[in-house]
Amino acid sequence: MSAALETALAYHRAWTGGDLDRAMTYVADDIVCDAPAGRIEGVAAYRAFLGPFAGMLRSATLLAAFGDDETALVMYDTETTLVPSAPGAECVTVRAGRIVHSRFLFDRVPFDAARRRLGETSRP
Amino acid sequence: MSAALETALAYHRAWTGGDLDRAMTYVADDIVCDAPAGRIEGVAAYRAFLGPFAGMLRSATLLAAFGDDETALVMYDTETTLVPSAPGAECVTVRAGRIVHSRFLFDRVPFDAARRRLGETSRP
């Protein structure tokens, strides 16, 4: 298995398995992540981005995962407390066993819609 | 290069190069595509989904592309008339040189926002 893919899968198994601390050991301190809502810089900001998503995760299914020495690309489906099926894809650049860049892709529409519904129903 | 990746890249080059007819020659008649707005079945419906997106494309940049015998996974960035940077990812299953299943992923939020600004109501 390619070096980048090994790191990407170890990171993936950790965060989808509920071990965010372990997942973060595969993320470089100066990670740059281009996510749907914009650029995230640094491991603290990345954790603040991934943590809430990991926290609402019920299950994740890996759909495909490939890589070479430096790049890995994974796509997976997730079931979360907000959205029953929400696929995600991550294209990561790995150096020395850590993710230094990530292009993180998912559709925000069902999450935004679920939050609006929750906001509506929680109103007095 | 893997057989599935060859097909996926030929399809990708065709539609991002403005040749939708050629792109459709790599798509099975009975394609099933799970896209952000729901399931698309059959090549006519798939063309009706991809055509408008291809039609507003200004440029596309392949970010990563991998595959094995049956599956290919690609991620790319696009510049469209509606949205300056809109990445997409496609995980395709290929049989006999044609895409029979696709998981097609992008964030609908910037497209919906752009359409609201334009005052349009149609969706891809």
Side-chain angles (χ1 to χ4, degrees), chain A residues 82-96:
Chain A
L82 278 184
V83 179
S85 170
E90 296 172 57
C91 180
V92 297
T93 308
V94 175
R95 288 203 192 107

Side-chain angles (χ1 to χ4, degrees), chain B:
Chain B
M1 190 188 296
S2 94
L5 183 54
E6 256 183 65
T7 299
L9 288 179
Y11 149 84
H12 179 82
R13 280 190 296 262
W15 82 259
T16 60
D19 194 342
L20 197 61
D21 288 339
R22 183 169 171 78
M24 288 303 128
T25 66
Y26 301 106
V27 176
D29 292 346
D30 58 350
I31 185 175
V32 173
C33 173
D34 290 309
R39 179 161 280 195
I40 295 157
E41 294 184 277
V43 69
Y46 187 78
R47 187 181 177 118
F49 158 73
L50 187 63
F53 187 56
M56 64 169 107
L57 191 70
R58 282 195 171 131
S59 68
T61 308
L62 201 59
L63 300 174
F66 295 100
D68 57 23
D69 284 352
E70 202 182 45
T71 305
L73 180 55
V74 302
M75 186 183 281
Y76 47 86
D77 200 8
T78 67
E79 184 192 348
T80 68
T81 54
L82 278 183
V83 179
S85 170
E90 295 172 59
C91 180
V92 298
T93 308
V94 174
R95 286 199 196 110
R98 292 194 165 199
I99 298 167
V100 296
H101 182 262
S102 167
R103 177 72 82 146
F104 203 119
L105 185 52
F106 62 96
D107 179 25
R108 285 178 290 171
V109 163
F111 291 96
D112 291 354
R115 288 199 184 90
R116 274 198 301 276
R117 282 195 302 272
L118 289 173
E120 290 175 12
T121 52
S122 64
R123 280 170 176 251

Side-chain angles (χ1 to χ4, degrees), chain A residues 1-55:
Chain A
M1 189 187 293
S2 93
L5 184 55
E6 256 184 64
T7 299
L9 288 179
Y11 149 84
H12 178 83
R13 281 191 295 263
W15 83 259
T16 60
D19 195 342
L20 197 63
D21 287 340
R22 184 169 169 78
M24 287 303 128
T25 66
Y26 300 106
V27 176
D29 292 345
D30 58 350
I31 185 175
V32 172
C33 173
D34 289 309
R39 179 161 280 193
I40 296 157
E41 294 184 277
V43 69
Y46 187 78
R47 187 181 178 120
F49 158 73
L50 187 63
F53 187 56

Side-chain angles (χ1 to χ4, degrees), chain A residues 58-121:
Chain A
R58 281 194 172 131
S59 68
T61 308
L62 201 59
L63 299 174
F66 295 99
D68 57 23
D69 285 352
E70 203 182 43
T71 305
L73 181 56
V74 302
M75 187 183 279
Y76 47 85
D77 200 8
T78 66
E79 184 192 347
T80 68
T81 54
L82 278 184
V83 179
S85 170
E90 296 172 57
C91 180
V92 297
T93 308
V94 175
R95 288 203 192 107
R98 293 195 163 196
I99 298 167
V100 296
H101 183 263
S102 167
R103 177 73 80 149
F104 202 120
L105 186 52
F106 62 97
D107 179 25
R108 285 178 290 170
V109 163
F111 291 95
D112 291 354
R115 288 199 184 92
R116 274 197 303 274
R117 282 195 302 274
L118 285 175
E120 282 160 13
T121 53

